[in-house]
Amino acid sequence: MAVEEKARRVTKRRVRTRANLLDAAFAVFAAKGFGRVSIEEVCEAAGYSRGAFYSNFESLDELFFALYQQRADLIAEQVAGALALDGPGLDVPAAVDRVTEVLLLDRDWLLVKTDFLVHAARAPEVARTLLEHRARLRRAIAERLARTRGDVALPAVLVDAEGAAHAVVAAYDGVTVQLLLDGDLEQARAWLRQLLTALLTDGSDTTV
């Protein structure tokens, strides 16, 4: 029993150490950029030694990948949850407000995400991971739209729920570029609300 208890404590400590390293890395990456951060800086920010780092990650690339995966999965879950709150129907303005809050709340995340995008553009295996995340996010949106039972169909130009999901993600990408440059979160939210509402309705009805 003593051995099992010790093993549980070691496992919990390792989980906590890994989580602290990820949190510290997120702050350092957002502040300095992925390519300008060293393992030592992450360890210093987290309050751990290099030994603690290497017991959890083989490299800075692996840590960066784990951090992106963690945050990206959370965003996908939050978007799906925001779209699910209306039940079988969908109140487009309310849903757009909730999704906008989830997607644009954290500018630091956008900085890290952009670093990951640039990194992925030069590394095909990393690009595949990014594409998989984006596909999951689109599926979450498309599945919600497909389940909606409303009186008005999606605009014909989008063809179907999957086309609408692609448009939503593309609108988000475009707005976040401006947000990263000017830092105007409220204006970015306003633009995204307008774009998503225009994409998901005919401009006169609030039911999809």
Side-chain angles (χ1 to χ4, degrees):
M1 293 295 291
V3 174
E4 291 179 2
E5 180 61 29
K6 182 177 180 181
R8 280 196 293 270
R9 287 200 301 270
V10 170
T11 299
K12 288 180 180 178
R13 184 165 64 248
R14 182 167 183 174
V15 169
R16 184 168 60 250
T17 298
R18 181 182 174 88
N20 290 341
L21 284 166
L22 287 170
D23 288 344
F26 180 78
V28 176
F29 288 148
K32 301 186 69 173
F34 172 67
R36 298 182 177 87
V37 173
S38 67
I39 290 174
E40 288 77 12
E41 287 174 301
V42 173
C43 292
E44 181 179 354
Y48 293 121
S49 66
R50 285 175 65 92
F53 179 93
Y54 284 114
S55 70
N56 287 275
F57 304 101
E58 291 185 1
S59 65
L60 207 55
D61 277 358
E62 184 182 337
L63 181 149
F64 192 57
F65 173 83
L67 174 64
Y68 183 87
Q69 192 77 18
Q70 177 196 69
R71 302 280 172 155
D73 288 347
L74 175 61
I75 293 292
E77 291 172 8
Q78 289 175 327
V79 169
L83 289 172
L85 291 178
D86 290 318
L90 186 66
D91 179 340
V92 170
V96 164
D97 282 345
R98 291 194 300 268
V99 169
T100 300
E101 287 294 323
V102 169
L103 289 175
L104 287 176
L105 188 59
D106 189 353
R107 188 169 181 268
D108 283 348
W109 159 249
L110 297 179
L111 289 169
V112 173
K113 176 174 171 282
T114 301
D115 269 349
F116 194 83
L117 175 61
V118 173
H119 182 52
R122 296 187 174 94
E125 69 282 1
V126 180
R128 282 193 293 272
T129 298
L130 181 57
L131 289 170
E132 287 169 5
H133 158 65
R134 290 170 69 83
R136 285 198 301 276
L137 181 58
R138 288 196 304 269
R139 281 197 300 271
I141 296 170
E143 288 170 4
R144 179 64 185 92
L145 293 175
R147 291 198 306 271
T148 298
R149 296 193 298 272
D151 297 327
V152 179
L154 289 167
V157 69
L158 298 177
V159 182
D160 55 20
E162 186 167 338
H166 273 273
V168 167
V169 174
Y172 166 62
D173 287 341
V175 169
T176 55
V177 170
Q178 187 66 31
L179 172 61
L180 285 171
L181 292 175
D182 63 23
D184 191 339
L185 181 58
E186 292 310 309
Q187 183 59 53
R189 283 182 175 142
W191 273 113
L192 190 58
R193 286 190 193 100
Q194 292 176 32
L195 285 171
L196 294 185
T197 301
L199 283 169
L200 299 177
T201 71
D202 66 0
S204 64
D205 198 306
T206 59
T207 304
V208 175

